[in-house]
Amino acid sequence: MLQRIQTIYLMIVTMLAALSCALPVANFYNDLWQLQLSAWQLQSLSAQPAAVTAHFWGLFAISLLIPIVAFATIWLYRKRMLQIRLCILNMLFMLGYYAVLGVCIWQVVDKFDVSFVPQLAAVFPLVNIILTWLALRGIGKDEAKVRAADRLR
């Protein structure tokens, strides 16, 4: 199980997705406001801390689902077709993460008239999509080898 390259890819996806839950995704600035968006809340970094606190539960839920599905996919190594389906589902979750993040950013920019500055954690789902696709290819190759071996018997 651990000697397979797709397991390494999925472990990296799990770690990066867990990091994206903890790190800030974006910062917003203007003359009055300094705001920071993490996976579960928008908080003020300026001198008026009580003015802004908002929670984005959709973004937080998707941020939690991504590492859970990736970690569960690792342990289903005997059910390769289910692994393939879970990888596709996880890639859809990552695309959904960007859709929800875009809506959250649009709401903050519209409400507070601030400029948007992305942080490093905003790139993690894109890296995760690429790594999940590589894991998907590895799982597909394993399935092809098993089917070829079954045909030889």
Side-chain angles (χ1 to χ4, degrees):
M1 175 199 56
L2 288 177
Q3 69 271 18
R4 296 170 31 193
I5 190 68
Q6 57 265 27
T7 303
I8 304 300
Y9 292 146
L10 290 171
M11 290 177 95
I12 294 170
V13 168
T14 303
M15 289 186 287
L16 286 178
L19 274 175
S20 71
C21 288
L23 295 176
V25 178
N27 287 338
F28 301 94
Y29 299 103
N30 71 3
D31 295 336
L32 300 173
W33 301 100
Q34 290 183 357
L35 306 171
Q36 185 178 57
L37 177 66
S38 63
W40 65 282
Q41 77 173 5
L42 176 72
Q43 62 183 359
S44 175
L45 300 177
S46 61
Q48 307 164 9
V52 175
T53 300
H55 296 281
F56 295 105
W57 296 107
L59 191 63
F60 183 62
I62 292 176
S63 295
L64 281 181
L65 279 175
I66 293 170
I68 290 170
V69 171
F71 190 72
T73 304
I74 293 171
W75 298 105
L76 295 171
Y77 58 92
R78 292 181 190 238
K79 301 176 181 178
R80 287 171 298 281
M81 292 310 293
L82 181 59
Q83 269 190 322
I84 288 172
R85 289 185 187 115
L86 286 176
C87 283
I88 292 169
L89 177 70
N90 210 9
M91 287 176 18
L92 290 174
F93 282 153
M94 292 173 212
L95 291 173
Y97 175 87
Y98 277 124
V100 172
L101 180 63
V103 169
C104 294
I105 290 169
W106 177 70
Q107 287 177 348
V108 171
V109 168
D110 189 45
K111 183 175 181 179
F112 296 105
D113 192 32
V114 291
S115 60
F116 163 68
V117 179
Q119 297 297 312
L120 181 63
V123 179
F124 288 167
L126 180 62
V127 173
N128 287 344
I129 288 171
I130 295 168
L131 290 172
T132 304
W133 180 72
L134 290 172
L136 182 70
R137 284 185 51 205
I139 296 166
K141 287 179 183 177
D142 280 354
E143 182 64 21
K145 285 179 188 177
V146 169
R147 288 185 188 221
D150 285 344
R151 194 174 51 234
L152 292 175
R153 286 188 211 172

